[in-house]
Amino acid sequence: GVSLKYLLDFGTQPLERQMLLSARFLHAEIPIRLAHRLMDLNHLPPKLSEEPHVRRVKGWYAESFADFRSFPAIKDHLDVLRFTAMLKKAFRRHNNVVPAIAKGVEEYKRDLQVGVESTEERESEIQHFLDTFFLSRIAIRFLAGHHISMLDPPRPDHIGLVHTRCSPYLVGLRFPAKAFVWIAQQQPFPLPRVWFVFPPSPPPPPLPAGTPQVFELVKNSLRAVQERFSESEWEPPPIQVVVAEGLEDVTIKVSDQGGGIPRSGLARIWTYLYTTASSPLPDVDIDSTNMPVVLAGYGCGLPLSRLYAR
Ligand SMILES: Nc1ncnc2c1ncn2[C@@H]1O[C@H](COP(=O)(O)OP(=O)(O)OP(=O)(O)O)[C@@H](O)[C@H]1O
Ligand SMILES: [Mg+2]
């Protein structure tokens, strides 16, 4: 497995040597992972596996696999630079995998509802596939992104994608802030305040900086508060972010007074595509670089955040 230590080691050796090792590792490792995912896609129920969006995704995986396999052995720094350019191209090719798969699954489910196949069994099979598929995607993109960013101009307090001083405090502060800026640009409405409740002890060791879970949670809270209070004469009540440090782990808790998840919906919140907002998927064009930006509606926020947390 690849550990946080492996990622931080990039900063301890001469960069050229480290990048050579990293390129060789990715050159061997990524095509194996791509091949596994392609096999999984081929083993889906035939109607889903052959759905046009899913077929596009299979095409991307096959193309990237071929790029890696046809790339010659990496011998020197020039090879590393060429390899990294190929890696970047593959990285971009896969940008829209999540909406493409979501769209494919949505279309397939619509067909199921009118068809005769048992939906319940299929449903759990698909959810399991999506968890495996997206978790693998997160890992591949983290490894590739880390390698690529090592060759970008250095950023303070970063080794590649890892923020060397990133503590739960920083995550707890930074992601709500990001969510607010993002939302203020998209659909302005009176924003609630955020209360931060942090312990007084010194920050624990580094975390990967790309942890987006808190962002998704704050987004959900903002939506809940907006729906409940946008027409109300009352000021929207604050969202609370609590960071608590345990002996072995850290808890970051986001809570709001938007009314919570109805009991009848609780069982479904980890299900991909479960949403109570209107879905932007019908307007999604997977060839476009700009997906419709919505406060909620993809129904992927919670299940994907759980994968990132894992
Ligand atoms: N803080 C919250 N308050 C009330 N309901 C919530 C809250 N968080 C989640 N939910 C419910 O859970 C559903 C699923 O949330 P999730 O984040 O997975 O998807 P979404 O917000 O609908 O879409 P997106 O993928 O765009 O985030 C939401 O549609 C909403 O009904
Ligand atoms: Mg959400």
Side-chain angles (χ1 to χ4, degrees):
V2 176
S3 61
L4 192 54
K5 181 178 175 309
Y6 166 86
L7 299 170
L8 289 168
D9 279 348
F10 276 73
T12 61
Q13 295 200 41
L15 186 63
E16 284 203 9
R17 165 98 192 122
Q18 193 59 47
M19 294 314 289
L20 187 69
L21 294 177
S22 166
R24 285 180 181 157
F25 169 68
L26 297 180
H27 186 211
E29 181 69 18
I30 291 186
I32 297 172
R33 297 189 184 203
L34 294 176
H36 278 296
R37 299 295 72 84
L38 195 50
M39 248 167 48
D40 288 352
L41 286 164
N42 280 329
H43 283 124
L44 286 172
K47 274 193 188 138
L48 179 55
S49 184
E50 289 307 314
E51 194 284 334
H53 295 93
V54 177
R55 278 177 58 170
R56 284 290 296 283
V57 174
K58 289 200 283 189
W60 295 334
Y61 273 75
E63 253 179 89
S64 298
F65 178 80
D67 281 356
F68 278 88
R69 294 297 291 164
S70 61
F71 199 92
I74 299 167
K75 295 188 290 293
D76 52 29
H77 193 61
L78 196 62
D79 290 346
V80 170
L81 296 180
R82 284 199 202 103
F83 174 80
T84 308
M86 184 274 283
L87 185 65
K88 263 189 186 169
K89 204 170 133 212
F91 195 91
R92 278 199 299 269
R93 181 182 291 134
H94 290 245
N95 274 351
N96 287 348
V97 162
V98 175
I101 289 284
K103 228 175 139 80
V105 169
E106 194 208 28
E107 306 253 323
Y108 168 74
K109 278 190 175 171
R110 203 174 315 131
D111 278 356
L112 267 192
Q113 275 160 10
V114 292
V116 284
E117 279 187 77
S118 143
T119 47
E120 220 165 89
E121 204 174 299
R122 283 276 180 259
E123 180 75 48
S124 81
E125 189 184 327
I126 292 169
Q127 294 303 319
H128 177 74
F129 157 77
L130 292 173
D131 264 342
T132 313
F133 187 79
F134 289 143
L135 187 59
S136 162
R137 180 173 188 275
I138 290 169
I140 295 176
R141 287 179 86 77
F142 197 84
L143 288 174
H146 191 62
H147 176 94
I148 292 167
S149 66
M150 286 303 295
L151 291 178
D152 288 343
R155 291 183 292 165
D157 296 330
H158 277 77
I159 296 175
L161 292 185
V162 182
H163 193 303
T164 51
R165 298 193 312 142
C166 183
S167 67
Y169 298 75
L170 209 66
V171 170
L173 276 172
R174 202 169 136 190
F175 286 93
K178 261 180 114 165
F180 269 70
V181 170
W182 181 83
I183 278 154
Q185 284 165 353
Q186 306 307 329
Q187 32 202 337
F189 59 88
L191 292 173
R193 282 165 302 146
V194 181
W195 281 351
F196 293 102
V197 184
F198 287 5
S201 51
L207 287 173
T211 42
Q213 306 92 312
V214 179
F215 177 81
E216 288 298 331
L217 296 180
V218 172
K219 206 150 73 64
N220 284 351
S221 289
L222 282 169
R223 173 189 168 213
V225 172
Q226 183 204 19
E227 288 196 349
R228 182 128 189 179
F229 291 90
S230 62
E231 312 271 278
S232 138
E233 61 189 286
W234 305 102
E235 226 185 272
I239 291 169
Q240 195 169 199
V241 178
V242 180
V243 175
E245 211 183 314
L247 285 179
E248 293 183 352
D249 43 33
V250 166
T251 304
I252 302 177
K253 178 171 142 181
V254 178
S255 58
D256 63 69
Q257 291 172 60
I261 301 166
R263 189 176 294 260
S264 58
L266 264 184
R268 303 199 59 205
I269 57 166
W270 303 112
T271 308
Y272 291 89
L273 305 189
Y274 170 70
T275 180
T276 50
S278 72
S279 170
L281 278 175
D283 302 325
V284 164
D285 168 12
I286 59 166
D287 291 314
S288 156
T289 45
N290 302 316
M291 292 295 123
V293 180
V294 290
L295 188 49
Y298 286 102
C300 290
L302 288 176
L304 281 182
S305 295
R306 182 167 70 169
L307 293 184
Y308 276 98
R310 281 179 182 162

